[in-house]
Structure formats: C-alpha cells, structure tokens
Amino acid sequence: QVQLVESGGGLVEPGGSLRLSCAASQSIISFSVVGWYRQVPGNQREFVAIITSSGIISYRDSVKGRFTISRDNAKNTVNLQMNSLKPEDTAVYYCLTGGRRGNNWGQGTQVTVSS
C-alpha cells in the first residue's frame, strides 16, 4: 500500500500563492492517475486536478488558470501550484493515487485563504 504525505499548506491572504507537495512511498508511474482533491467540513471531497499516466491533465473549472498540477517521477512527488488564491479555496487538500488496485489518499494538508 502506497503511503502519501502532503505538505505545503498554510495560511495565505487572498491573491497569494501556495505550493503543495505530495510525497509517495513508491513510484508514481505505476498509477493510472495522480492528483488532488479537497474537502471542507460538511461537504463531500471534491475534485481539483488530476494527471493521468499518459499525461492528460484535468482541472476543476473554478481553478483553471490559477492552479497547475505537475509530477516528478524521479522524486515520486505530485505538486500543486496554487496562485491567485481565493477564500473559497479554503479546504483540506488531499493527494490521490489511483490504479488497478484502487485509490490511495494522504492525510491532507490545510489551506486557509483569509485576510
């Protein structure tokens, strides 16, 4: 079972930036998809961004043009660069890996966008 550890969350003012990183305990190229979801209290976890093994990238509409997902296969990391942050981006952000044996989730990192 892959272990995923997120980092990079914190408190930022509206319009600011954060870079999240997900460190995986095994090669991320073995997964069909890797990406990021987020969750606020009382709501379901929602899709943010994914990148497939073939390089196809998808973003949630509300983050297009502001967030950029990337991966470093050599370092087994998945990153999410978040720019022009808005209060509505406040959530716990979770790293995801998905493949033939199911999905794996990290413990999450808190992102708070507030003035």
Side-chain angles (χ1 to χ4, degrees):
Q1 187 86 332
V2 64
Q3 303 293 315
L4 304 173
V5 180
E6 301 96 332
S7 62
L11 175 64
V12 64
E13 294 185 357
S17 298
L18 286 173
R19 184 176 178 85
L20 307 184
S21 182
C22 171
S25 62
Q26 65 187 64
S27 177
I28 60 174
I29 65 174
S30 64
F31 300 103
S32 297
V33 300
V34 297
W36 294 89
Y37 281 60
R38 66 189 182 189
Q39 188 171 27
V40 299
N43 295 118
Q44 294 185 344
R45 195 167 298 181
E46 65 183 23
F47 162 77
V48 176
I50 58 169
I51 180 168
T52 72
S53 58
S54 62
I56 303 299
I57 295 174
S58 296
Y59 293 103
R60 186 179 190 86
D61 284 345
S62 62
V63 309
K64 288 180 179 178
R66 301 189 297 119
F67 290 10
T68 303
I69 188 171
S70 63
R71 65 187 179 200
D72 188 330
N73 293 337
K75 296 181 178 180
N76 295 330
T77 60
V78 184
N79 302 304
L80 186 69
Q81 178 66 46
M82 305 186 295
N83 299 326
S84 301
L85 282 162
K86 304 174 180 179
E88 64 199 67
D89 296 317
T90 296
V92 177
Y93 283 70
Y94 295 91
C95 180
L96 164 75
T97 64
R100 59 188 298 272
R101 300 190 66 181
N103 296 331
N104 301 281
W105 299 95
Q107 291 184 310
T109 184
Q110 176 71 49
V111 172
T112 302
V113 185
S114 177
S115 60

Coordinates of all heavy atoms in Angstrom, one line a residue, residues 2-7 19-31 33-36 51 70-80 95-97:
V2 N 0.6 2.1 -0.9 CA 1.4 3.3 -1.0 C 1.1 4.3 0.1 O 0.0 4.4 0.5 CB 1.2 4.0 -2.4 CG1 -0.2 4.5 -2.5 CG2 2.2 5.2 -2.6
Q3 N 2.1 4.9 0.6 CA 2.0 6.0 1.6 C 2.1 7.3 1.0 O 3.1 7.5 0.2 CB 3.0 5.8 2.8 CG 3.0 4.4 3.4 CD 1.7 4.2 4.2 OE1 1.2 5.1 4.9 NE2 1.2 3.0 4.1
L4 N 1.2 8.2 1.3 CA 1.2 9.6 0.7 C 1.3 10.6 1.8 O 0.5 10.5 2.8 CB 0.0 9.8 -0.1 CG -0.2 8.8 -1.3 CD1 -1.6 9.0 -1.9 CD2 0.9 8.9 -2.3
V5 N 2.2 11.6 1.7 CA 2.3 12.6 2.7 C 2.3 13.9 2.0 O 3.2 14.3 1.2 CB 3.6 12.4 3.5 CG1 3.7 13.6 4.5 CG2 3.7 11.1 4.2
E6 N 1.3 14.8 2.4 CA 1.1 16.1 1.8 C 1.9 17.1 2.7 O 1.9 17.0 3.9 CB -0.3 16.5 1.7 CG -1.2 15.6 0.8 CD -1.9 14.5 1.6 OE1 -1.4 14.2 2.7 OE2 -3.0 14.1 1.2
S7 N 2.3 18.2 2.0 CA 2.9 19.3 2.8 C 2.7 20.5 2.0 O 2.4 20.5 0.8 CB 4.4 19.0 3.0 OG 5.1 18.9 1.8
R19 N 2.3 26.3 -2.7 CA 2.7 25.2 -3.5 C 2.6 23.9 -2.6 O 3.3 23.8 -1.6 CB 4.1 25.3 -4.0 CG 4.6 24.2 -4.9 CD 5.9 24.4 -5.5 NE 6.4 23.3 -6.3 CZ 6.1 23.2 -7.6 NH1 5.3 24.0 -8.2 NH2 6.6 22.1 -8.3
L20 N 1.7 23.0 -2.9 CA 1.5 21.8 -2.2 C 2.4 20.7 -2.8 O 2.6 20.7 -4.1 CB 0.1 21.4 -2.2 CG -1.0 22.4 -1.7 CD1 -2.3 21.7 -1.7 CD2 -0.6 22.9 -0.3
S21 N 2.9 19.8 -2.0 CA 3.6 18.7 -2.5 C 3.1 17.4 -1.8 O 2.7 17.4 -0.7 CB 5.1 18.9 -2.2 OG 5.9 17.8 -2.7
C22 N 3.1 16.3 -2.6 CA 2.7 15.0 -2.1 C 3.9 14.1 -2.4 O 4.3 13.9 -3.5 CB 1.5 14.6 -2.9 SG 1.0 12.8 -2.6
A23 N 4.4 13.5 -1.3 CA 5.5 12.5 -1.4 C 4.9 11.1 -1.3 O 4.3 10.8 -0.3 CB 6.5 12.8 -0.3
A24 N 5.2 10.3 -2.3 CA 4.8 8.9 -2.3 C 5.9 8.0 -2.0 O 7.1 8.2 -2.3 CB 4.2 8.6 -3.7
S25 N 5.5 6.9 -1.4 CA 6.5 5.9 -0.9 C 6.9 4.9 -2.0 O 7.8 4.1 -1.8 CB 5.9 5.1 0.3 OG 4.8 4.4 -0.1
Q26 N 6.3 5.0 -3.2 CA 6.7 4.2 -4.3 C 6.5 5.0 -5.6 O 6.0 6.1 -5.6 CB 5.9 2.9 -4.3 CG 4.4 3.1 -4.6 CD 3.7 1.8 -4.4 OE1 3.6 1.2 -3.3 NE2 3.1 1.3 -5.5
S27 N 7.0 4.4 -6.7 CA 7.0 5.1 -8.0 C 5.5 5.5 -8.3 O 4.6 4.6 -8.4 CB 7.6 4.2 -9.0 OG 7.5 4.8 -10.3
I28 N 5.4 6.7 -8.7 CA 4.0 7.2 -9.1 C 3.7 6.8 -10.5 O 2.5 7.0 -10.9 CB 3.9 8.7 -8.9 CG1 4.9 9.5 -9.8 CG2 4.1 9.1 -7.4 CD1 4.8 11.0 -9.7
I29 N 4.6 6.4 -11.3 CA 4.3 6.0 -12.6 C 3.5 4.7 -12.7 O 3.0 4.3 -13.7 CB 5.6 5.8 -13.5 CG1 6.5 4.7 -13.0 CG2 6.3 7.2 -13.6 CD1 7.7 4.5 -13.9
S30 N 3.4 4.0 -11.6 CA 2.7 2.7 -11.5 C 1.2 3.0 -11.4 O 0.4 2.0 -11.4 CB 3.1 1.9 -10.4 OG 2.9 2.5 -9.1
F31 N 0.8 4.2 -11.2 CA -0.6 4.6 -11.0 C -1.2 5.2 -12.3 O -0.6 5.9 -13.0 CB -0.8 5.6 -9.9 CG -0.3 5.0 -8.6 CD1 0.9 5.4 -8.1 CD2 -1.1 4.1 -7.9 CE1 1.4 4.9 -6.9 CE2 -0.6 3.5 -6.7 CZ 0.6 4.0 -6.2
V33 N -3.7 7.4 -12.4 CA -3.9 8.8 -12.2 C -3.3 9.2 -10.9 O -3.2 8.4 -9.9 CB -5.4 9.2 -12.2 CG1 -6.0 8.9 -13.5 CG2 -6.1 8.5 -11.1
V34 N -2.8 10.4 -10.8 CA -2.4 11.1 -9.6 C -3.0 12.5 -9.6 O -3.3 13.0 -10.6 CB -0.9 11.1 -9.4 CG1 -0.3 9.7 -9.3 CG2 -0.2 11.9 -10.6
G35 N -3.3 13.0 -8.4 CA -3.9 14.3 -8.4 C -4.2 14.8 -7.0 O -3.7 14.3 -6.0
W36 N -5.1 15.8 -7.0 CA -5.5 16.4 -5.8 C -7.0 16.6 -5.7 O -7.7 16.9 -6.7 CB -4.9 17.8 -5.7 CG -3.4 17.8 -5.6 CD1 -2.5 17.8 -6.6 CD2 -2.6 17.8 -4.4 NE1 -1.2 17.7 -6.1 CE2 -1.3 17.7 -4.7 CE3 -3.0 17.8 -3.0 CZ2 -0.2 17.7 -3.8 CZ3 -2.0 17.8 -2.1 CH2 -0.6 17.7 -2.4
I51 N -3.7 14.2 -13.2 CA -2.9 14.0 -14.3 C -2.8 12.5 -14.5 O -2.5 11.8 -13.6 CB -1.5 14.7 -14.3 CG1 -0.7 14.4 -15.5 CG2 -0.7 14.3 -13.0 CD1 0.6 15.3 -15.6
S70 N 1.6 19.1 -11.4 CA 2.8 18.6 -12.0 C 3.2 17.4 -11.2 O 2.8 17.2 -10.1 CB 3.9 19.6 -12.1 OG 4.3 20.1 -10.8
R71 N 4.1 16.6 -11.8 CA 4.6 15.4 -11.2 C 6.1 15.3 -11.5 O 6.6 15.8 -12.5 CB 3.9 14.2 -11.6 CG 4.1 13.8 -13.0 CD 3.2 12.7 -13.4 NE 3.4 12.4 -14.9 CZ 2.5 11.7 -15.6 NH1 1.4 11.2 -15.0 NH2 2.7 11.4 -16.9
D72 N 6.8 14.8 -10.5 CA 8.3 14.5 -10.7 C 8.4 13.0 -10.5 O 8.5 12.5 -9.3 CB 9.1 15.3 -9.7 CG 10.6 15.2 -10.0 OD1 11.0 14.1 -10.5 OD2 11.3 16.1 -9.7
N73 N 8.5 12.2 -11.5 CA 8.5 10.8 -11.4 C 9.8 10.3 -10.7 O 9.8 9.3 -10.0 CB 8.4 10.1 -12.8 CG 7.1 10.3 -13.5 OD1 6.1 10.6 -12.8 ND2 7.0 10.3 -14.8
A74 N 10.9 11.0 -10.9 CA 12.2 10.6 -10.3 C 12.1 10.8 -8.8 O 12.8 10.0 -8.1 CB 13.3 11.4 -10.9
K75 N 11.4 11.8 -8.3 CA 11.3 12.1 -6.9 C 10.0 11.5 -6.3 O 9.8 11.7 -5.1 CB 11.4 13.6 -6.7 CG 12.7 14.2 -7.1 CD 12.8 15.7 -6.7 CE 14.1 16.3 -7.1 NZ 14.2 17.7 -6.8
N76 N 9.2 10.9 -7.1 CA 7.9 10.3 -6.6 C 7.1 11.4 -5.9 O 6.5 11.2 -4.8 CB 8.2 9.1 -5.7 CG 8.8 8.0 -6.4 OD1 8.6 7.8 -7.6 ND2 9.6 7.2 -5.6
T77 N 7.0 12.5 -6.5 CA 6.2 13.6 -5.9 C 5.1 14.1 -6.9 O 5.3 14.1 -8.1 CB 7.0 14.8 -5.5 OG1 7.7 15.3 -6.6 CG2 8.0 14.4 -4.4
V78 N 4.0 14.6 -6.4 CA 3.0 15.3 -7.1 C 2.8 16.6 -6.5 O 2.7 16.8 -5.3 CB 1.7 14.5 -7.1 CG1 0.6 15.2 -8.0 CG2 1.9 13.0 -7.6
N79 N 2.8 17.7 -7.3 CA 2.8 19.0 -6.8 C 1.5 19.8 -7.3 O 1.0 19.4 -8.4 CB 4.0 19.8 -7.2 CG 5.3 19.1 -6.7 OD1 5.4 18.9 -5.5 ND2 6.2 18.8 -7.7
L80 N 1.1 20.8 -6.6 CA 0.0 21.6 -7.0 C 0.4 23.1 -6.7 O 0.5 23.4 -5.5 CB -1.3 21.3 -6.3 CG -2.5 22.0 -6.7 CD1 -2.9 21.6 -8.1 CD2 -3.7 21.8 -5.7
C95 N -3.9 14.4 -1.4 CA -3.3 13.8 -2.6 C -3.9 12.4 -2.9 O -4.3 11.7 -2.0 CB -1.8 13.6 -2.2 SG -0.8 12.8 -3.6
L96 N -4.0 12.1 -4.1 CA -4.7 10.9 -4.6 C -3.8 10.2 -5.6 O -3.2 10.8 -6.5 CB -6.0 11.2 -5.3 CG -6.6 10.1 -6.2 CD1 -7.2 9.0 -5.3 CD2 -7.6 10.7 -7.2
T97 N -3.7 8.9 -5.4 CA -3.2 8.0 -6.5 C -4.2 7.0 -6.8 O -4.9 6.4 -5.8 CB -1.9 7.3 -6.1 OG1 -2.1 6.4 -5.0 CG2 -0.8 8.3 -5.8

